[in-house]
Amino acid sequence: MSRTPARPDPLDVAPVIPVVEIRERAHAVPLARALASGGVPIVEITLRTPDALEAVAAVAEEVPEILVGAGTVTAPDQVRRACDAGAQFLVSPGTTPALLAAMVDSGLPVLPGTASVSEVLTVLEAGVTSVKFFPAEAAGGAEHLRALAGPVPEARFCPTGGITAASAPQYLALPNVACVGGTWLTPRQVVEAEDWDRIESLAREAAALAPPQDG
Ligand SMILES: O=C[C@H](O)COP(=O)(O)O
Ligand SMILES: CC(=O)C(=O)O
């Protein structure tokens, strides 16, 4: 009998989840390889570009050393398409009952987006404890998350939105933050120049921000 191997929680892979918009399909595989070589074996490809699902599929197929997820999942029908493409986790910027149900039903690890205590409670009610906090800087930053550690200690966060290499450590120091998300590892001009060495070096710096935490 074959078994589907358990997939790691995306929060436990690296201190940073790189959030990537793929504008050229051919960039997906070398970019993923550069992140993994730099010590960040995880990437969230946002479903914001025409080639995003094919990029997810290419990375899932050709870069087994990285965990590839689909981000910007905003509607239930995108969940099936992301699963069919081979996504290994799903990320949404926000949460609705229908979207949350579809994400949970997928059986994949999920990172639903929240910006309020009520949204966090909704996600916890669905049995999900890995939670995205978006848009982190605009929605209250590290102070917001520090305030949540008392009333909802079971929620583990990946704050995303406006975070940089300079601001990441203040989030990573919080007990309820497992990792942060951000685009700073993959600047658009660096990707367009296909400067994969630079991406690898940015990943190396990000990997050194903090060790991955145990589940
Ligand atoms: O929407 C964009 C990402 O979720 C975060 O981007 P950022 O790290 O550039 O703020
Ligand atoms: C905001 C984000 O990272 C997403 O669109 O999933």
Side-chain angles (χ1 to χ4, degrees):
M1 187 173 80
S2 71
R3 278 172 188 274
T4 308
R7 297 181 194 281
D9 187 319
L11 263 58
D12 295 325
V13 176
V16 182
I17 299 178
V19 179
V20 177
E21 207 173 277
I22 294 291
R23 297 178 164 270
E24 273 194 49
R25 200 178 323 172
H27 288 162
V29 164
L31 183 149
R33 287 197 177 119
L35 290 171
S37 298
V40 178
I42 183 164
V43 64
E44 172 191 334
I45 297 179
T46 58
L47 302 186
R48 302 185 197 177
T49 59
D51 286 345
L53 284 170
E54 288 190 38
V56 169
V59 173
E61 176 73 24
E62 296 180 47
V63 195
E65 64 271 30
I66 205 164
L67 193 71
V68 57
T72 318
V73 176
T74 55
D77 64 318
Q78 288 177 310
V79 170
R80 175 49 47 206
R81 292 207 293 275
C83 290
D84 288 349
Q88 293 157 335
F89 64 96
L90 303 173
V91 187
S92 67
T95 296
T96 71
L99 178 58
L100 183 59
M103 290 173 73
V104 170
D105 285 351
S106 75
L108 291 180
V110 298
L111 209 42
T114 66
S116 71
V117 183
S118 299
E119 289 166 353
V120 173
L121 293 177
T122 301
V123 169
L124 292 174
E125 277 177 9
V128 176
T129 55
S130 296
V131 187
K132 177 163 168 158
F133 174 49
F134 178 82
E137 286 285 291
E143 284 311 309
H144 181 105
L145 291 175
R146 193 190 311 278
L148 294 191
V152 282
E154 60 273 55
R156 300 172 69 229
F157 288 97
C158 173
T160 305
I163 299 177
T164 64
S167 62
Q170 67 176 302
Y171 286 95
L172 292 167
L174 296 173
N176 55 351
V177 169
C179 66
V180 302
T183 60
W184 84 87
L185 282 71
T186 57
R188 186 181 294 184
Q189 64 277 21
V190 175
V191 174
E192 281 172 3
E194 303 185 357
D195 186 351
W196 310 126
D197 287 346
R198 177 70 185 138
I199 300 288
E200 182 176 332
S201 135
L202 287 165
R204 206 171 297 289
E205 288 167 21
L209 282 172
Q213 300 179 4
D214 294 336

